[in-house]
């Protein structure tokens, strides 16, 4: 009996109340306390896996385009290309790829992210190591080249998500397709899942959202307050400002340059740019209409939501409870991890906690 009890303590444990996951918890290194360090160190110290991309450009019906980077596994000795070098990898996918039935992992990046983001490369590397296909689909304006239309990506662009995933499905009609969204991309993915309901199963089999700002207003307030306003907000605003000014120059009268230049917070830039392009009255109206939280009860396919309770961008008291999501949704709230952090210093990047947790869910029955 003692031996049996000892063995049981070594087995993963689950909370059998609703759909909250409790196995294989992430534990940060002892020298990495707090959500801020776990967020920042992960972005600074985590080594990028060696992933090469082949770029496809998808022409859209509205006259614009989307750039998609498909991962190609590299020998260990081959360096990964820089973002500038991606323009030389623009040949289309080989037709034999379209005939394969291996799973396809589609990544939606976070605010001002792209295929070179560490979290994207880690997951693509993990997928490629299993013989799967992996793609990072860039939101408009994030692939290194200006888009043609006066349009900006935003946190609740479910129609764009639907267009992207429908295109992947048409290219891979017989493959399981899994969608994974990080941060802003995670919110957009969750909103699409809830809005499209059962029809979402036509395009994908499973979904994962990591560190999604499920309550956009709460997230914006958090980013614009205290230490967050010093550590993160200037980085995001200063990255978005030149894109907005370039768009304003190309389309005179669309945006107010003075408001863009004076923007200091996420709320400011959303008031000056995002809400205007989206057609909302202001930033608050934009947050209300594009937060994924109200749509989570409508999700019909297996979906995993991963958040750290110490995420500086998403206060834990605003995370959805099991009563606020459908039975198809699994909530995995870790005590530690930061924002898209979950740094694991002693494992290879594609085998660290976060990509391993995602792949475990995607491979499960």
């Amino acid at each position: 009996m003692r031996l049996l009890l000892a063995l049981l303590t070594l087995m993963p444990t689950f909370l059998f109340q609703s759909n909250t996951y409790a196995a294989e918890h992430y534990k940060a290194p002892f020298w990495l306390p707090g959500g801020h360090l776990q967020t920042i160190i992960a972005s600074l110290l985590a080594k990028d896996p060696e992933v090469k991309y082949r770029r496809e450009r998808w022409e859209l019906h509205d006259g614009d385009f989307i750039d998609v980077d498909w991962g190609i596994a590299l020998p260990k000795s081959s360096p990964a290309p820089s973002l500038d070098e991606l323009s030389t990898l623009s040949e289309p996918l080989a037709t034999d790829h379209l005939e394969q039935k291996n799973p396809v992992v589609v990544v939606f990046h976070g605010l001002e992210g792209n295929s070179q983001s560490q979290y994207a490369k880690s997951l693509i590397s993990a997928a490629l190591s299993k013989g799967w296909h992996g793609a990072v689909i860039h939101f408009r304006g994030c692939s290194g080249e200006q888009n043609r239309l006066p349009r900006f990506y935003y946190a609740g662009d479910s129609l764009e998500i639907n267009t992207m995933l429908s295109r992947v499905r048409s290219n891979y009609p017989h493959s399981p397709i899994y969608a994974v969204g990080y941060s802003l991309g995670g919110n957009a993915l969750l909103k699409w899942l809830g809005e499209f309901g059962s029809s979402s199963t036509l395009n994908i089999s499973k979904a994962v959202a990591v560190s999604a700002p499920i309550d956009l207003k709460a997230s914006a307030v958090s980013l614009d307050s205290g230490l967050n306003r010093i550590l993160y907000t200037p980085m995001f605003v200063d990255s978005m400002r030149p894109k907005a000014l370039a768009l304003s120059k190309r389309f005179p009268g669309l945006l107010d340059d003075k408001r863009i230049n004076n923007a200091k917070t996420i709320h400011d830039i959303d008031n000056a740019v995002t809400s205007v392009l989206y057609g909302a009255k202001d930033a608050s109206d934009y947050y209300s209409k594009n937060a994924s939280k109200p749509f989570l009860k409508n999700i019909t396919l297996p979906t995993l939501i991963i958040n750290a309770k110490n995420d500086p961008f998403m206060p834990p008291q605003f995370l959805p409870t099991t009563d606020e999501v459908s039975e198809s949704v699994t909530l995995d709230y870790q005590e530690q991890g930061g924002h898209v952090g979950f740094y694991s210093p002693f494992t290879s990047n594609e085998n660290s906690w976060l990509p391993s947790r995602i792949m475990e869910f995607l491979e499960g029955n």
Side-chain angles (χ1 to χ4, degrees), residues 45-334:
L45 295 188
K47 295 181 180 179
D48 289 346
E50 294 176 302
V51 176
K52 183 178 181 180
Y53 291 109
R54 178 188 288 113
R55 174 158 292 186
E56 267 195 318
R57 173 157 293 183
W58 292 350
E59 294 293 335
L60 304 177
H61 292 304
D62 62 9
D64 214 337
F65 66 88
I66 287 173
D67 285 332
V68 184
D69 287 347
W70 293 88
I72 309 169
L74 284 177
K76 292 297 183 181
S77 59
S78 301
S82 67
L83 189 60
D84 293 337
E85 294 172 318
L86 282 172
S87 59
T88 65
L89 304 173
S90 57
E91 68 272 17
L93 284 173
T95 55
D96 61 341
H97 280 204
L98 307 182
E99 298 171 359
Q100 296 182 17
K101 297 182 181 180
N102 291 348
V104 182
V105 175
V106 178
V107 173
F108 295 108
H109 60 78
L111 183 65
E112 293 300 276
N114 54 52
S115 63
Q116 295 297 311
S117 297
Q118 185 275 330
Y119 55 80
K121 294 174 74 174
S122 293
L123 184 59
I124 294 296
S125 178
L128 294 176
S129 71
K130 293 184 178 294
W132 295 9
H133 304 292
V136 181
I137 302 184
H138 293 95
F139 293 115
R140 303 194 202 200
C142 294
S143 64
E145 183 175 337
Q146 290 182 347
N147 280 81
R148 301 169 187 145
L149 299 182
R151 196 184 190 288
F152 222 55
Y153 70 104
Y154 60 93
D157 201 348
S158 51
L159 290 178
E160 194 87 302
I161 296 286
N162 192 62
T163 297
M164 296 169 173
L165 291 176
S166 297
R167 180 66 174 266
V168 177
R169 171 53 72 201
S170 67
N171 287 346
Y172 289 85
H174 306 298
S175 296
I177 297 174
Y178 307 127
V180 182
Y182 294 84
S183 195
L184 176 144
N187 183 80
L189 176 61
L190 291 172
K191 183 169 177 281
W192 171 77
L193 287 166
E195 281 190 326
F196 281 75
S198 60
S199 64
S200 63
T201 60
L202 298 175
N203 290 323
I204 67 173
S205 302
K206 292 183 179 181
V208 180
V210 180
S211 301
I214 293 167
D215 186 322
L216 289 175
K217 181 179 179 181
S219 181
V221 170
S222 180
L223 277 169
D224 289 342
S225 304
L227 189 58
N228 286 354
R229 183 165 177 169
I230 298 172
L231 292 176
Y232 312 109
T233 299
M235 174 183 65
F236 289 132
V237 173
D238 291 345
S239 177
M240 296 171 69
R241 193 192 323 275
K243 291 183 179 181
L245 290 172
L247 192 67
S248 179
K249 184 176 181 180
R250 291 166 56 210
F251 300 96
L254 179 66
L255 299 170
D256 185 333
D257 287 4
K258 184 176 180 180
R259 293 181 72 193
I260 296 172
N261 283 316
N262 289 338
K264 297 292 189 295
T265 67
I266 297 294
H267 191 272
D268 289 344
I269 203 74
D270 283 336
N271 257 332
V273 181
T274 318
S275 62
V276 176
L277 297 178
Y278 169 70
K281 291 183 294 185
D282 52 25
S284 296
D285 184 42
Y286 160 69
Y287 298 147
S288 175
K289 292 178 178 177
N290 288 283
S292 62
K293 193 173 184 178
F295 298 94
L296 300 180
K297 288 189 73 69
N298 301 327
I299 294 176
T300 60
L301 58 80
T303 300
L304 174 66
I305 296 178
I306 302 173
N307 282 80
K309 294 181 181 179
N310 66 356
D311 183 342
F313 298 10
M314 189 66 235
Q317 64 268 30
F318 294 102
L319 290 172
T321 65
T322 54
D323 293 334
E324 295 175 300
V325 302
S326 77
E327 293 183 354
S328 299
V329 177
T330 299
L331 302 176
D332 188 350
Y333 296 157
Q334 298 292 316

